[in-house]
Short mmCIF file of all heavy atoms in Angstrom, two decimals:
data_model
loop_
_atom_site.label_atom_id
_atom_site.label_comp_id
_atom_site.label_asym_id
_atom_site.label_seq_id
_atom_site.Cartn_x
_atom_site.Cartn_y
_atom_site.Cartn_z
N THR A 7 0.83 -1.23 -0.02
CA THR A 7 0.06 -0.08 -0.03
C THR A 7 0.83 1.28 -0.04
O THR A 7 1.97 1.24 0.60
CB THR A 7 -0.97 0.05 1.22
OG1 THR A 7 -0.23 -0.10 2.34
CG2 THR A 7 -1.86 -1.12 1.14
N PRO A 8 0.42 2.43 -0.56
CA PRO A 8 1.16 3.57 -0.52
C PRO A 8 1.21 4.21 0.92
O PRO A 8 0.56 3.74 1.75
CB PRO A 8 0.39 4.44 -1.58
CG PRO A 8 -1.07 4.02 -1.53
CD PRO A 8 -0.93 2.53 -1.24
N GLU A 9 1.96 5.26 0.94
CA GLU A 9 2.12 5.88 2.25
C GLU A 9 0.88 6.51 2.67
O GLU A 9 0.51 6.63 3.98
CB GLU A 9 3.22 7.04 2.10
CG GLU A 9 4.64 6.61 2.04
CD GLU A 9 5.58 7.80 1.92
OE1 GLU A 9 5.12 8.85 2.23
OE2 GLU A 9 6.78 7.57 1.75
N GLN A 10 0.02 6.86 1.68
CA GLN A 10 -1.22 7.40 1.98
C GLN A 10 -2.37 6.81 1.30
O GLN A 10 -2.30 6.73 0.08
CB GLN A 10 -1.21 8.97 1.82
CG GLN A 10 -2.51 9.81 2.17
CD GLN A 10 -2.29 11.22 2.16
OE1 GLN A 10 -2.00 11.94 3.02
NE2 GLN A 10 -2.45 11.71 0.87
N VAL A 11 -3.46 6.36 1.80
CA VAL A 11 -4.63 5.90 1.31
C VAL A 11 -5.76 6.97 1.45
O VAL A 11 -6.02 7.39 2.53
CB VAL A 11 -5.04 4.54 1.83
CG1 VAL A 11 -6.36 3.95 1.16
CG2 VAL A 11 -3.93 3.45 1.59
N VAL A 12 -6.42 7.20 0.27
CA VAL A 12 -7.53 8.21 0.26
C VAL A 12 -8.91 7.62 0.12
O VAL A 12 -8.96 6.77 -0.93
CB VAL A 12 -7.24 9.28 -0.75
CG1 VAL A 12 -8.39 10.47 -0.55
CG2 VAL A 12 -5.83 9.92 -0.50
N VAL A 13 -9.79 7.79 0.87
CA VAL A 13 -11.15 7.25 0.83
C VAL A 13 -12.19 8.29 0.89
O VAL A 13 -12.17 9.06 1.84
CB VAL A 13 -11.48 6.15 1.89
CG1 VAL A 13 -12.80 5.52 1.71
CG2 VAL A 13 -10.37 5.20 1.96
N ARG A 14 -13.08 8.33 -0.17
CA ARG A 14 -14.18 9.34 -0.05
C ARG A 14 -15.38 8.69 0.66
O ARG A 14 -15.67 7.61 0.37
CB ARG A 14 -14.53 9.79 -1.44
CG ARG A 14 -15.53 11.02 -1.27
CD ARG A 14 -15.94 11.52 -2.70
NE ARG A 14 -16.99 10.74 -3.31
CZ ARG A 14 -17.51 11.02 -4.42
NH1 ARG A 14 -17.16 11.96 -5.18
NH2 ARG A 14 -18.48 10.10 -4.89
N ILE A 15 -15.94 9.50 1.70
CA ILE A 15 -17.12 8.89 2.48
C ILE A 15 -18.17 10.07 2.33
O ILE A 15 -17.99 11.19 1.99
CB ILE A 15 -16.59 8.63 3.83
CG1 ILE A 15 -16.15 9.88 4.51
CG2 ILE A 15 -15.55 7.51 3.94
CD1 ILE A 15 -15.89 9.71 6.05
N GLU A 16 -19.38 9.64 2.86
CA GLU A 16 -20.32 10.54 3.00
C GLU A 16 -19.96 11.50 4.18
O GLU A 16 -19.39 11.05 5.14
CB GLU A 16 -21.71 9.92 3.34
CG GLU A 16 -21.78 9.06 4.53
CD GLU A 16 -21.53 7.66 4.34
OE1 GLU A 16 -20.74 7.33 3.36
OE2 GLU A 16 -21.93 6.78 5.16
N ALA A 17 -20.54 12.74 4.04
CA ALA A 17 -20.18 13.75 5.14
C ALA A 17 -20.88 13.37 6.60
O ALA A 17 -21.82 12.74 6.56
CB ALA A 17 -20.72 15.08 4.69
N ARG A 18 -20.10 13.92 7.44
CA ARG A 18 -20.66 13.83 8.91
C ARG A 18 -20.82 12.25 9.34
O ARG A 18 -21.73 11.95 10.07
CB ARG A 18 -21.96 14.57 9.10
CG ARG A 18 -21.85 15.96 8.65
CD ARG A 18 -23.23 16.72 8.54
NE ARG A 18 -22.91 18.17 8.17
CZ ARG A 18 -22.98 18.51 6.91
NH1 ARG A 18 -23.10 17.59 6.00
NH2 ARG A 18 -22.87 19.81 6.63
N ARG A 19 -19.75 11.57 8.96
CA ARG A 19 -19.93 10.10 9.39
C ARG A 19 -19.23 9.94 10.78
O ARG A 19 -19.48 8.94 11.48
CB ARG A 19 -19.11 9.31 8.42
CG ARG A 19 -19.29 7.78 8.59
CD ARG A 19 -18.52 6.88 7.54
NE ARG A 19 -18.63 5.50 7.93
CZ ARG A 19 -19.47 4.71 7.26
NH1 ARG A 19 -20.31 5.12 6.33
NH2 ARG A 19 -19.48 3.40 7.69
N ASN A 20 -18.77 10.97 11.27
CA ASN A 20 -18.25 11.04 12.60
C ASN A 20 -17.14 9.96 12.95
O ASN A 20 -17.11 9.34 14.01
CB ASN A 20 -19.41 10.85 13.62
CG ASN A 20 -20.36 11.92 13.63
OD1 ASN A 20 -19.99 13.09 13.38
ND2 ASN A 20 -21.61 11.70 13.70
N LEU A 21 -16.17 9.73 12.01
CA LEU A 21 -15.13 9.01 12.18
C LEU A 21 -14.04 9.79 13.09
O LEU A 21 -14.05 10.94 13.01
CB LEU A 21 -14.43 8.48 10.93
CG LEU A 21 -15.23 7.58 9.86
CD1 LEU A 21 -14.42 7.44 8.68
CD2 LEU A 21 -15.44 6.30 10.59
N GLU A 22 -13.31 9.08 13.89
CA GLU A 22 -12.27 9.70 14.72
C GLU A 22 -10.97 9.48 14.09
O GLU A 22 -10.58 8.37 13.73
CB GLU A 22 -12.38 9.11 16.16
CG GLU A 22 -13.72 9.56 16.84
CD GLU A 22 -13.74 8.89 18.29
OE1 GLU A 22 -12.69 8.36 18.62
OE2 GLU A 22 -14.76 9.19 18.98
N LYS A 23 -10.09 10.48 14.35
CA LYS A 23 -8.54 10.28 13.97
C LYS A 23 -8.06 9.15 14.79
O LYS A 23 -8.27 9.25 16.10
CB LYS A 23 -7.90 11.53 14.22
CG LYS A 23 -8.37 12.74 13.27
CD LYS A 23 -7.61 13.95 13.56
CE LYS A 23 -8.07 15.20 12.68
NZ LYS A 23 -7.35 16.47 12.97
N GLY A 24 -7.23 8.33 14.22
CA GLY A 24 -6.59 7.29 14.93
C GLY A 24 -7.46 6.00 14.94
O GLY A 24 -6.93 4.86 15.15
N SER A 25 -8.70 6.05 14.62
CA SER A 25 -9.57 4.87 14.40
C SER A 25 -9.19 4.09 13.15
O SER A 25 -8.53 4.74 12.21
CB SER A 25 -11.05 5.24 14.40
OG SER A 25 -11.33 6.06 13.25
N THR A 26 -9.61 2.93 13.07
CA THR A 26 -9.29 2.03 11.82
C THR A 26 -10.62 1.73 11.09
O THR A 26 -11.45 1.16 11.79
CB THR A 26 -8.55 0.68 12.27
OG1 THR A 26 -7.25 1.12 12.87
CG2 THR A 26 -8.20 -0.01 11.04
N ILE A 27 -10.69 1.92 9.83
CA ILE A 27 -11.77 1.57 9.03
C ILE A 27 -11.26 0.39 8.14
O ILE A 27 -10.04 0.32 7.80
CB ILE A 27 -12.38 2.59 8.17
CG1 ILE A 27 -11.32 3.21 7.26
CG2 ILE A 27 -12.96 3.73 9.02
CD1 ILE A 27 -11.74 4.38 6.37
N HIS A 28 -12.21 -0.41 7.53
CA HIS A 28 -11.93 -1.46 6.66
C HIS A 28 -12.63 -1.25 5.29
O HIS A 28 -13.82 -0.94 5.29
CB HIS A 28 -12.25 -2.82 7.13
CG HIS A 28 -11.34 -3.27 8.31
ND1 HIS A 28 -11.52 -2.72 9.62
CD2 HIS A 28 -10.36 -4.16 8.34
CE1 HIS A 28 -10.56 -3.38 10.45
NE2 HIS A 28 -9.86 -4.28 9.60
N VAL A 29 -11.85 -1.24 4.20
CA VAL A 29 -12.49 -0.89 3.02
C VAL A 29 -12.23 -1.89 1.92
O VAL A 29 -11.34 -2.79 2.04
CB VAL A 29 -11.73 0.39 2.47
CG1 VAL A 29 -12.22 1.67 3.29
CG2 VAL A 29 -10.38 0.30 2.17
N THR A 30 -13.22 -2.13 1.05
CA THR A 30 -13.00 -2.91 -0.17
C THR A 30 -13.61 -2.18 -1.33
O THR A 30 -14.06 -0.98 -1.22
CB THR A 30 -13.68 -4.28 0.06
OG1 THR A 30 -13.43 -5.16 -0.95
CG2 THR A 30 -15.25 -4.08 0.16
N THR A 31 -13.73 -2.87 -2.47
CA THR A 31 -14.31 -2.25 -3.68
C THR A 31 -14.83 -3.32 -4.47
O THR A 31 -14.88 -4.56 -4.20
CB THR A 31 -13.18 -1.46 -4.42
OG1 THR A 31 -13.75 -0.71 -5.46
CG2 THR A 31 -12.08 -2.36 -5.07
N ASP A 32 -15.45 -2.96 -5.56
CA ASP A 32 -15.92 -4.01 -6.70
C ASP A 32 -15.02 -4.08 -7.89
O ASP A 32 -14.35 -3.14 -8.27
CB ASP A 32 -17.31 -3.45 -7.15
CG ASP A 32 -18.28 -3.20 -5.87
OD1 ASP A 32 -18.35 -4.31 -5.09
OD2 ASP A 32 -18.96 -2.24 -5.75
N PRO A 33 -15.04 -5.24 -8.44
CA PRO A 33 -14.04 -5.53 -9.71
C PRO A 33 -14.17 -4.52 -10.76
O PRO A 33 -13.16 -3.99 -11.31
CB PRO A 33 -14.41 -6.86 -10.12
CG PRO A 33 -15.07 -7.52 -9.00
CD PRO A 33 -15.77 -6.44 -8.22
N HIS A 34 -15.50 -4.00 -11.01
CA HIS A 34 -15.57 -3.08 -12.19
C HIS A 34 -15.12 -1.61 -11.88
O HIS A 34 -14.94 -0.82 -12.72
CB HIS A 34 -16.93 -3.03 -12.69
CG HIS A 34 -17.99 -2.55 -11.63
ND1 HIS A 34 -18.56 -3.41 -10.67
CD2 HIS A 34 -18.52 -1.32 -11.45
CE1 HIS A 34 -19.35 -2.69 -9.81
NE2 HIS A 34 -19.30 -1.42 -10.51
N HIS A 35 -14.79 -1.41 -10.60
CA HIS A 35 -14.21 -0.06 -10.16
C HIS A 35 -12.61 -0.14 -10.03
O HIS A 35 -11.99 0.93 -9.76
CB HIS A 35 -14.73 0.34 -8.81
CG HIS A 35 -16.16 0.78 -8.85
ND1 HIS A 35 -16.97 0.56 -7.81
CD2 HIS A 35 -16.80 1.31 -9.80
CE1 HIS A 35 -18.23 1.22 -8.08
NE2 HIS A 35 -18.05 1.55 -9.39
#
């Protein structure tokens, strides 16, 4: 993975700095 991973999310999701999220995607993307 690169030094920085960027994820667009819906606004006001209330994530906290330092927390961990898990992401995936679909083959056609």
Side-chain angles (χ1 to χ4, degrees):
T7 55
E9 291 183 5
Q10 181 173 264
V11 177
V12 186
V13 182
R14 192 178 78 179
I15 61 172
E16 63 269 24
R18 302 170 182 85
R19 191 178 173 100
N20 295 324
L21 294 178
E22 295 183 0
K23 294 178 183 178
S25 64
T26 298
I27 60 175
H28 290 74
V29 296
T30 188
T31 188
D32 300 312
H34 61 278
H35 286 148

